[in-house]
Amino acid sequence: MPEAPPVIDAFFTVTENGRETGFVTRGGRAARFDWDTGRMADGARPLERLWPALPAAFRSGFNAVLVTADPWAMVFRGAQCLLLNPLDGSVAEVSTIAARLPGLPQPFPQGIDAALASGAGQEVYLFAGDQCARYDLRAMNVVEVAPLERMWPGLAQHAPAFTAGIDAAVSRPSQGAFHFFHAADSTWGTLATRTVTETARPVDDTTWPGLVPAFAPGFAYVQVGRNIDVIDLESDRDVETLDINPHSDSTTALQVSPDGRLLYVWTHTQRLCLDTTTRRIVADLPFASGESPACGVAFSAGASLVHGATKNWEQGKLYLDTFRAGTTERTQRVELRAQDLRSALSAQDEGTDMKADSIQADMGPAVASPDDRFVYLGVDLDGRGAVVEVDVRAGRLRQAFRMPAGNAFTIALSPDGFHLHAAGREGVCTFDVRNGAVVRQGVLPGCTALAVSRGGDGLYCLPWDWDTKEGLLIADPLSHAVRRRIPVGGAGGPGHPHAIASDYAGTFAFLSEEHANAVVIVDTETYDMVRAIPTRDGQRPMSIAVGPY
């Protein structure tokens, strides 16, 4: 069996104000690793966007990176090298390995696979093939060259495949540990003694949370007709069709968990959970007689819990149910009773005949606050649109925000959890959840779907009416001023996007486009339409979700 390709090309750590940040590169992209949380801090972005001053030869990828005088790092690409400050993007002293590090024997001047500072003094370790060179940066000479298994005791015992070569090496200076990467595995040990102490393990979400999906092209799950099509985003081809019929009236019938491992499907009568690595159903969430799903789902920040509304049609009751993700185990049920909101709504309903007697889910998504305390749900409250806030820690319905006009078919929450955006046919309204104040309304048109960019600086709006001919709108989240109108239809037309999803990294937005019958991909940084992927047999796409697996 052929060996798996390297999961990363380079990995290095810099320190700013006492905080250690890792930078991981693969191909022409890079992402940050947060050593304090032990997981990826963001998604992979093109090297030239992170560091615009990079010469063209280095924009397609790095072979290795060595931090020499924190935060300055020596970047290797083929026989070339340069100095990079990854914090401010400065580039200096573009040179060659032979000129920068004189005295290195072959094959080191032709290319370095990995590099690692010793953690003490000016000695560094350079890796090329099955050889390791110990080099003194102060004296500018080679101290020692030896096979990997001899230079790094324990390597042959704990990770024998690594003796043929190291793809990447990184240390966390404050911990005194180093990590080696080879193909799809990693191992680690103590830097002071150069001793490998751990058996090689696969690089996955257990060992390096978020690293693999941060660089994966991923897959789009698209509702096409009465099935779900799986599109490989590396080849833009359908690779599988799932015989599952999602809810036809919802833009959130398909949702991928934050870790990318689970796909939740809302059908007219069921809520199913699929493992995205096998694309097989692992949980069919239970509903009692007369009950059915009533909205999309919201995931906890760590993806361990999933929340969704359940309607009991026979008894006229609405619940918010919480399940352990990927299972049928329900951990909590909160009944959402309109009468519990009377005091909270008295000021909003002053001068009206609203009595808060009835409450119904409004078919849209549910969203969870960043601290996992609250879940928000668009509802119909006494025949009028509103968004309710459920305190899932206390297990109670806490408050509601009345829509000034229309319903709350779709909602989105800012990354800080302070501003809640809601929309229906009548327009978009933004609330401050801290005091219930309406921040903005009456500017944006009615929308079928809303989304907030990963950084919180853009509100993505999918206009409801076909006649508006506005395509995709990207607005300021607070002023609602439209920054860009992006045509996403066929032949350059404005188009009519139905649903929206983002990839794991937040680098791209994916739209199910009804005019072009395609999945349209938009760059979230440049706001440019990247490409369109036609759907199977030219059928209309509806709900969409995107994940790394």
Side-chain angles (χ1 to χ4, degrees):
M1 179 180 295
E3 191 170 64
V7 292
I8 60 173
D9 296 330
F11 196 168
F12 60 102
T13 302
V14 299
T15 305
E16 182 181 29
N17 299 323
R19 186 177 183 87
E20 294 169 314
T21 299
F23 289 88
V24 186
T25 75
R26 182 179 182 183
R29 297 187 296 161
R32 294 180 304 137
F33 185 84
D34 189 328
W35 284 106
D36 289 340
T37 63
R39 62 185 310 113
M40 299 302 293
D42 55 19
R45 299 171 59 201
L47 294 174
E48 64 267 26
R49 291 193 191 169
L50 281 174
W51 304 304
L54 279 175
F58 285 81
R59 294 185 178 187
S60 58
F62 303 159
N63 295 136
V65 180
L66 173 68
V67 178
T68 54
D70 205 353
W72 284 93
M74 194 179 301
V75 179
F76 302 97
R77 171 75 181 177
Q80 294 182 290
C81 66
L82 55 76
L83 293 181
L84 168 71
N85 182 334
L87 299 179
D88 65 14
S90 303
V91 172
E93 301 181 26
V94 180
S95 183
T96 64
I97 296 174
R100 171 75 61 188
L101 302 170
L104 280 171
Q106 292 295 339
F108 291 91
Q110 300 307 311
I112 291 173
D113 300 328
L116 189 66
S118 68
Q122 290 292 306
E123 285 193 356
V124 299
Y125 301 102
L126 306 172
F127 302 82
D130 63 355
Q131 299 292 303
C132 180
R134 188 154 58 103
Y135 193 90
D136 189 325
L137 292 178
R138 181 170 296 154
M140 300 301 286
N141 61 23
V142 176
V143 178
E144 178 186 7
V145 177
L148 291 171
E149 58 189 292
R150 196 174 81 200
M151 185 77 80
W152 298 90
L155 187 66
Q157 174 188 354
H158 293 290
F162 286 53
T163 60
I166 302 296
D167 296 323
V170 67
S171 68
R172 185 181 182 188
S174 65
Q175 301 297 313
F178 68 86
H179 301 265
F180 287 162
F181 295 81
H182 172 82
D185 297 326
S186 71
T187 187
W188 65 284
T190 304
L191 187 56
T193 60
R194 300 202 311 259
T195 304
V196 176
T197 59
E198 296 297 318
T199 300
R201 299 173 60 189
V203 176
D204 55 25
D205 279 345
T206 299
T207 54
W208 294 94
L211 192 153
V212 173
F215 290 91
F219 297 86
Y221 297 85
V222 188
Q223 180 180 358
V224 178
R226 301 173 66 86
N227 301 107
I228 300 171
D229 281 8
V230 184
I231 299 175
D232 183 337
L233 295 172
E234 186 167 32
S235 64
D236 287 354
R237 300 181 64 178
D238 286 342
V239 293
E240 191 171 354
T241 295
L242 307 179
D243 186 18
I244 300 174
N245 184 15
H247 198 296
S248 59
D249 298 324
S250 172
T251 61
T252 55
L254 304 177
Q255 292 175 269
V256 170
S257 61
D259 62 1
R261 292 291 182 179
L262 302 172
L263 171 68
Y264 276 81
V265 182
W266 172 18
T267 76
H268 286 269
T269 58
Q270 296 173 286
R271 197 183 303 281
L272 305 173
C273 175
L274 283 72
D275 182 326
T276 54
T277 60
T278 64
R279 301 187 187 119
R280 298 295 177 262
I281 296 172
V282 294
D284 184 347
L285 276 61
F287 293 96
S289 175
E291 292 184 349
S292 63
C295 74
V297 297
F299 299 95
S300 63
S304 62
L305 297 174
V306 61
H307 313 278
T310 299
K311 178 70 175 180
N312 187 307
W313 300 99
E314 295 178 353
Q315 301 177 12
K317 294 183 177 181
L318 184 66
Y319 305 96
L320 182 71
D321 288 328
T322 300
F323 290 85
R324 295 199 186 281
T327 76
T328 58
E329 180 187 351
R330 188 170 65 197
T331 62
Q332 181 174 252
R333 164 165 279 194
V334 180
E335 184 176 354
L336 308 182
R337 302 185 304 172
Q339 53 265 39
D340 293 340
L341 298 171
R342 282 202 176 106
S343 60
L345 288 170
S346 59
Q348 297 182 52
D349 287 345
E350 188 173 356
T352 74
D353 59 358
M354 297 297 179
K355 302 300 182 183
D357 290 328
S358 65
I359 183 172
Q360 299 180 42
D362 210 8
M363 300 291 291
V367 295
S369 62
D371 61 3
D372 290 335
R373 179 177 177 183
F374 303 113
V375 171
Y376 298 91
L377 178 68
V379 300
D380 180 300
L381 191 58
D382 295 327
R384 183 175 161 193
V387 181
V388 293
E389 179 186 82
V390 184
D391 187 331
V392 290
R393 292 184 186 174
R396 68 184 182 92
L397 185 59
R398 183 169 179 265
Q399 62 177 327
F401 310 102
R402 290 283 197 190
M403 292 290 288
N407 60 354
F409 182 79
T410 180
I411 59 175
L413 188 66
S414 62
D416 59 14
F418 296 153
H419 295 103
L420 180 71
H421 311 283
R425 288 184 179 274
E426 303 299 322
V428 180
C429 179
T430 294
F431 301 94
D432 188 325
V433 300
R434 294 167 292 187
N435 54 28
V438 174
V439 177
R440 190 71 58 194
Q441 61 170 309
V443 178
L444 292 168
C447 294
T448 62
L450 296 174
V452 181
S453 63
R454 183 68 60 91
D457 58 347
L459 178 62
Y460 288 68
C461 308
L462 278 57
W464 194 298
D465 293 329
W466 286 62
D467 295 334
T468 58
K469 295 181 173 59
E470 299 205 64
L472 169 65
L473 301 181
I474 302 179
D476 182 276
L478 298 183
S479 72
H480 291 185
V482 175
R483 294 175 179 161
R484 291 286 293 272
R485 288 178 169 84
I486 304 176
V488 293
H496 188 256
H498 175 77
I500 185 170
S502 66
D503 62 357
Y504 180 88
T507 308
F508 300 103
F510 295 79
L511 312 173
S512 56
E513 216 306 291
E514 300 182 29
H515 274 174
N517 288 335
V519 172
V520 172
I521 304 173
V522 173
D523 189 310
T524 58
E525 187 167 343
T526 65
Y527 296 156
D528 294 324
M529 176 177 159
V530 178
R531 66 187 188 276
I533 307 171
T535 50
R536 174 173 46 88
D537 300 327
Q539 295 187 69
R540 173 190 175 197
M542 299 179 70
S543 186
I544 184 171
V546 176
Y549 308 107

